[in-house]
Amino acid sequence: QAQLVESGGGLVQAGGSLRLSCRASRMITSVFNPITWGWYRQVPGKQREFIASISSTRTTNYRDSVQGRFTISRDNARKTVYLQMNSLKPEDTGVYYCNNAVAPGSWGEGTLVNVSS
């Protein structure tokens, strides 16, 4: 079963940037490549919410609140999905996860993003 390993989170001031990575270890590229991958965010007491997705043809979709500030990308050779986060706001704070956007499997541990005002 694929193991999703998220990284790149941290503490940043409002207006700053972070680049998150999600590597699908134990997944062969022929399985990774066709998948539409998504990034999700969860804050305590709330349900996990969709942030962005990227299809195998690199069609992207974004949550309205991050449109124009976040960019999702993928590197199939590295089996890795990225989320470039610019102009960060305190409301972007949360634990970020990646997963198959169409048929989610097991969730990784996520990476914590903490944006201070």
Side-chain angles (χ1 to χ4, degrees):
Q1 187 174 1
Q3 180 183 15
L4 301 174
V5 181
E6 298 93 348
S7 63
L11 175 63
V12 62
Q13 287 189 330
S17 298
L18 286 172
R19 189 194 194 203
L20 306 185
S21 299
C22 170
R23 187 168 185 274
S25 63
R26 305 178 190 169
M27 181 179 282
I28 59 176
T29 54
S30 62
V31 173
F32 179 92
N33 292 354
I35 292 175
T36 293
W37 290 98
W39 280 99
Y40 302 83
R41 175 175 66 213
Q42 189 166 26
V43 298
K46 293 188 177 181
Q47 286 192 330
R48 192 175 285 131
E49 61 186 12
F50 168 82
I51 298 299
S53 67
I54 184 167
S55 73
S56 59
T57 58
R58 289 175 166 75
T59 298
T60 57
N61 282 294
Y62 296 94
R63 185 179 189 84
D64 286 348
S65 62
V66 307
Q67 183 78 45
R69 298 189 297 121
F70 291 10
T71 302
I72 188 171
S73 61
R74 62 191 294 165
D75 184 333
N76 289 345
R78 289 184 167 85
K79 299 178 292 183
T80 301
V81 185
Y82 302 98
L83 187 67
Q84 178 66 43
M85 309 164 68
N86 298 330
S87 302
L88 281 161
K89 303 176 181 180
E91 52 263 43
D92 295 321
T93 294
V95 180
Y96 284 71
Y97 303 85
C98 71
N99 212 322
N100 181 327
V102 176
S106 298
W107 295 89
E109 295 186 352
T111 186
L112 176 62
V113 172
N114 191 347
V115 184
S116 63
S117 57

